[in-house]
Amino acid sequence: DTGVSQNPRHKITKRGQNVTFRCDPISEHNRLYWYRQTLGQGPEFLTYFQNEAQLEKSRLLSDRFSAERPKGSFSTLEIQRTEQGDSAMYLCAAGKGGSSYEQYFGPGTRLTVT
Amino acid sequence: AQSVTQLGSHVSVSEGALVLLRCNYSSSVPPYLFWYVQYPNQGLQLLLKYTTGATLVKGINGFEAEFKKSETSFHLTKPSAHMSDAAEYFCAVTDLTSGNQFYFGTGTSLTVIP
């Protein structure tokens, strides 16, 4: 158990709908990352938070994607106007600050857009 | 930009045989390197990491990897494969200039034959 939980675990939505995913790390993890993983590929970086500040965002991230981490605890990832190409596993990872670059991954949320 | 290449998307070994999973990276500055394992329907689990210091690093479950700067490699090995090692393995790289972005390879699926 990495201490990182994600909800929901599965989400099926129709094209054009908005979806929101949640990630809950343990309190010591001030770093938080979101990744997208499609079949046969490695995780693709989406965005990074240090505490509540969003410090990095992938250039590949569409304007339809937004992430927040209010109060530096849990984080949400919202996708607006979903497209079939958004179907993927969305992974959250968290870690401590400082020189430790270890990331602890949650189980992921599998999104299917029909 | 950093990148990771994992040679061989599928590797099969016999139980008890040596496991060798290859990872080559590109980075213009000293890299931080990681190996993760992903079991079916589970999140990624950190196997081992290299940041600084000893170039041969040992991880969980009997795995180890050696950082070879001259070869830009970080291959993962285990002397004797066990059935429970069957999983997907991902190599990842980051460095101090990446702004906390991690770059993952496309993964290697390991099959262990009894």
Side-chain angles (χ1 to χ4, degrees):
Chain A
D1 183 8
T2 62
V4 180
S5 61
Q6 291 187 246
N7 288 288
R9 295 292 305 277
H10 303 273
K11 178 71 177 178
I12 300 174
T13 190
K14 292 185 178 180
R15 189 176 55 187
Q17 298 295 306
N18 298 344
V19 294
T20 300
F21 310 139
R22 178 175 170 130
C23 172
D24 285 89
I26 62 176
S27 58
E28 298 91 85
H29 290 165
N30 53 28
R31 297 184 179 190
L32 188 143
Y33 308 78
W34 283 100
Y35 293 89
R36 176 171 59 194
Q37 186 180 21
T38 54
L39 197 62
Q41 299 296 316
E44 175 190 23
F45 172 83
L46 295 179
T47 191
Y48 161 70
F49 288 86
Q50 174 118 5
N51 298 312
E52 67 275 10
Q54 187 175 20
L55 298 184
E56 290 292 333
K57 194 173 176 181
S58 170
R59 295 186 206 96
L60 303 175
L61 204 60
S62 158
D63 290 344
R64 297 183 296 105
F65 288 70
S66 63
E68 294 182 340
R69 194 183 183 198
K71 303 178 182 178
S73 56
F74 71 92
S75 176
T76 58
L77 177 68
E78 181 183 18
I79 309 174
Q80 296 182 327
R81 305 181 303 281
T82 53
E83 302 172 355
Q84 287 189 322
D86 296 331
S87 295
M89 178 75 85
Y90 290 85
L91 299 171
C92 175
K96 297 179 182 178
S99 60
S100 171
Y101 286 83
E102 295 183 19
Q103 296 181 68
Y104 299 93
F105 281 81
T109 295
R110 181 168 295 284
L111 173 66
T112 302
V113 182
T114 62
Chain B
Q2 290 74 15
S3 66
V4 171
T5 301
Q6 291 185 240
L7 292 175
S9 57
H10 298 275
V11 171
S12 293
V13 299
S14 298
E15 189 175 15
L18 172 71
V19 176
L20 171 60
L21 305 183
R22 299 179 186 275
C23 173
N24 288 87
Y25 69 91
S26 69
S27 176
S28 56
V29 298
Y32 296 162
L33 297 157
F34 306 81
W35 275 100
Y36 285 85
V37 60
Q38 187 175 32
Y39 297 101
N41 299 315
Q42 294 187 27
L44 279 74
Q45 180 183 3
L46 180 67
L47 273 178
L48 48 79
K49 67 174 182 179
Y50 168 80
T51 53
T52 59
T55 56
L56 180 64
V57 292
K58 296 184 185 299
I60 62 172
N61 302 337
F63 284 94
E64 62 182 37
E66 187 171 11
F67 168 59
K68 293 187 176 181
K69 183 179 178 181
S70 61
E71 299 177 8
T72 62
S73 69
F74 191 58
H75 301 330
L76 182 71
T77 60
K78 181 174 180 177
S80 176
H82 192 271
M83 296 298 294
S84 60
D85 294 328
E88 189 85 16
Y89 291 81
F90 294 95
C91 183
V93 65
T94 190
D95 60 50
L96 292 178
T97 69
S98 293
N100 289 290
Q101 290 200 35
F102 281 69
Y103 299 87
F104 282 78
T106 52
T108 298
S109 178
L110 176 65
T111 299
V112 181
I113 304 167

